[in-house]
Amino acid sequence: MEVSSDTMTLEMLPARHGDALLVSWGPAEDRAHLLVDGGPASAYPEVSGRISDAVAGDGLELMVLTHIDADHIEGTLLLANDAALALDVGEFWFNGPAQLTDELGPAQGEMLAALIRARGIPHNASFAGRAVSSTDDGVLPRHELRHGLVLTVVGPDADSLRRLRDVWFSTAGEEGLVFESEDHAIEELRRRTHRILGDTYLAGEGEPDVARLAAEVAPRDNAPANRSSIVLLLEYADQRILLAGDATPTALTGAVRRLLAERGVDQLDLTAFKLPHHGSTRNITRDLLTLLPSDLYLFSSNGDKFGHPDDGGVAKCLAFGRSGAALAFNYRTPKTLRWDDQRLLSRRRQRAIYPPAGESGLAVTLPLTVPTG
């Protein structure tokens, strides 16, 4: 496929129940790449293989870990530590122990920070080594990458990072996950093995009742790690993509309102919206979908472990999202395929996109084209 200089490709890599998002842009002869999260360890062979094929000798302009949950950080650790893959990384954005306080942090976060230092990768260099976060003065940080891709850091804010810090270090102390030194952290990284998770699916039956599912009141997600997710707005030519990590609804809605106030608008039209927390109904609200109307709603999960995306999360996108939008799933499972109902979708002039039969992971080119098998 020929790629023009105004085209961006976003691939939801086959990261099972986690997130691994590869964004590529620029002219065909000089593509640039951004990776956001690395998924769980159980998906590493598939994720690393796709990255190796897509990036080849280009390397990554930037690698971002949105937050420290296992389904985002495990694969990131493996990617950064894979000498056979030898992935060249221009800069790493990750809010680790040094960005939260001078104390040491719990296992995976501290090991990743030590590994970044050991490899000599610039760590949060665009923020002078401090935390990747929004500011309190109403001006959101903007960073331009090669070929004119602009990243706006929508979240987290300082309060979210303080909450993460308090939970992180109290938990670390209680569980004995404090390392004596950077060498100790690297030693533990070498020693550890990762459990491979089995595949389970939760399937619905019959046509989903969109109105009922969208109206159900779910308890809000307030987990400090999720609240601290790095949220990025990517702008390239006339394309806008919001990558929401696992951001909680309170934190994300507040961050989006600050972004809208800064730009003097009531809504921000998106080309694509990678929904928070793999489509959990606890993280998606009507307000959020109203503030961010999108042409494409992205669900990154195969349902392992937590059963995402929730029926309520998908239903809210159908009920409150943009008419004519597409829903994109990076896995074919009984749970995601139940939304491939033409009668249901046609009533809202919407459509569902899946990987080709027998495959996993989904790449979309923006402006939107549907990949074929």
Side-chain angles (χ1 to χ4, degrees):
M1 178 183 66
E2 184 177 348
V3 181
S4 65
S5 60
D6 61 352
T7 298
M8 175 185 293
T9 301
L10 187 152
E11 182 170 6
M12 293 188 290
L13 298 169
R16 302 195 183 185
H17 62 283
D19 267 353
L21 309 170
L22 181 65
V23 180
S24 302
W25 71 98
E29 67 277 7
D30 188 27
R31 297 290 274 175
H33 309 278
L34 159 70
L35 181 68
V36 179
D37 294 329
S42 58
Y44 185 70
E46 297 93 338
V47 168
S48 61
R50 292 288 184 91
I51 291 173
S52 178
D53 291 342
V55 173
D58 297 339
L60 296 173
E61 192 86 358
L62 175 65
M63 191 169 180
V64 179
L65 176 68
T66 59
H67 64 299
I68 58 172
D69 279 350
D71 55 339
H72 298 254
I73 192 174
E74 285 182 346
T76 305
L77 265 167
L78 292 169
L79 285 165
N81 198 30
D82 191 337
L85 181 62
L87 191 62
D88 183 46
V89 181
E91 185 177 349
F92 209 119
W93 288 4
F94 156 55
N95 290 332
Q99 285 72 45
L100 299 176
T101 178
D102 292 334
E103 302 172 60
L104 294 178
Q108 289 179 325
E110 179 61 20
M111 285 190 290
L112 180 58
L115 181 57
I116 292 170
R117 288 192 293 271
R119 285 196 55 188
I121 300 172
H123 184 184
N124 291 8
S126 297
F127 297 82
R130 292 186 287 272
V132 179
S133 68
S134 59
T135 58
D136 295 328
D137 60 7
V139 179
L140 298 177
R142 289 164 58 89
H143 296 274
E144 184 169 336
L145 300 182
R146 199 152 50 95
H147 303 313
L149 174 65
V150 176
L151 304 182
T152 299
V153 179
V154 181
D157 59 13
D159 183 57
S160 296
L161 291 176
R162 282 192 293 269
R163 290 170 185 250
L164 173 65
R165 175 199 62 197
D166 294 342
V167 171
W168 184 328
F169 297 117
S170 65
T171 301
E174 291 169 5
E175 298 185 6
L177 297 177
V178 177
F179 295 110
E180 298 170 1
S181 65
E182 183 173 310
D183 289 341
H184 184 197
I186 293 293
E187 177 184 342
E188 179 68 8
L189 178 60
R190 291 194 182 104
R191 187 186 68 80
R192 286 197 171 206
T193 57
H194 297 274
R195 179 171 60 92
I196 303 300
L197 302 172
D199 291 338
T200 59
Y201 300 107
L202 300 175
E205 296 181 358
E207 180 180 309
D209 185 338
V210 170
R212 178 185 63 80
L213 290 167
E216 287 181 352
V217 178
R220 296 287 179 88
D221 179 5
N222 290 308
N226 291 344
R227 177 170 174 155
S228 73
S229 288
I230 295 174
V231 178
L232 297 176
L233 175 67
L234 282 59
E235 295 177 282
Y236 183 66
D238 57 353
Q239 313 303 312
R240 291 195 192 99
I241 302 174
L242 189 75
L243 306 180
D246 282 3
T248 61
T250 301
L252 183 55
T253 303
V256 168
R257 290 190 185 280
R258 289 193 294 274
L259 174 66
L260 299 180
E262 179 183 283
R263 299 197 175 191
V265 296
D266 295 326
Q267 295 178 314
L268 186 66
D269 288 329
L270 298 176
T271 311
F273 185 3
K274 205 294 293 186
L275 294 155
H277 208 180
H278 316 284
S280 169
T281 191
R282 299 179 64 188
N283 297 69
I284 300 172
T285 65
R286 181 172 187 167
D287 283 350
L288 192 61
L289 294 169
T290 301
L291 294 172
L292 298 169
S294 181
D295 296 331
L296 179 65
Y297 298 99
L298 301 166
F299 297 88
S300 173
S301 180
N302 73 344
D304 273 5
K305 198 171 182 179
F306 300 111
H308 295 143
D310 291 334
D311 288 342
V314 181
K316 288 174 186 176
C317 292
L318 287 169
F320 310 129
R322 173 173 281 164
S323 176
L327 310 178
F329 303 90
N330 67 334
Y331 280 89
R332 288 176 172 267
T333 72
K335 186 157 192 178
T336 62
L337 287 170
R338 75 178 305 213
W339 300 100
D340 192 19
D341 185 314
Q342 294 311 306
R343 293 173 302 172
L344 171 69
L345 294 169
S346 64
R347 288 199 290 271
R348 293 167 173 77
R349 294 191 301 109
Q350 292 166 324
R351 57 183 169 141
I353 304 171
Y354 300 87
E359 298 184 15
S360 56
L362 180 70
V364 291
T365 300
L366 305 173
L368 181 63
T369 58
V370 182
T372 59

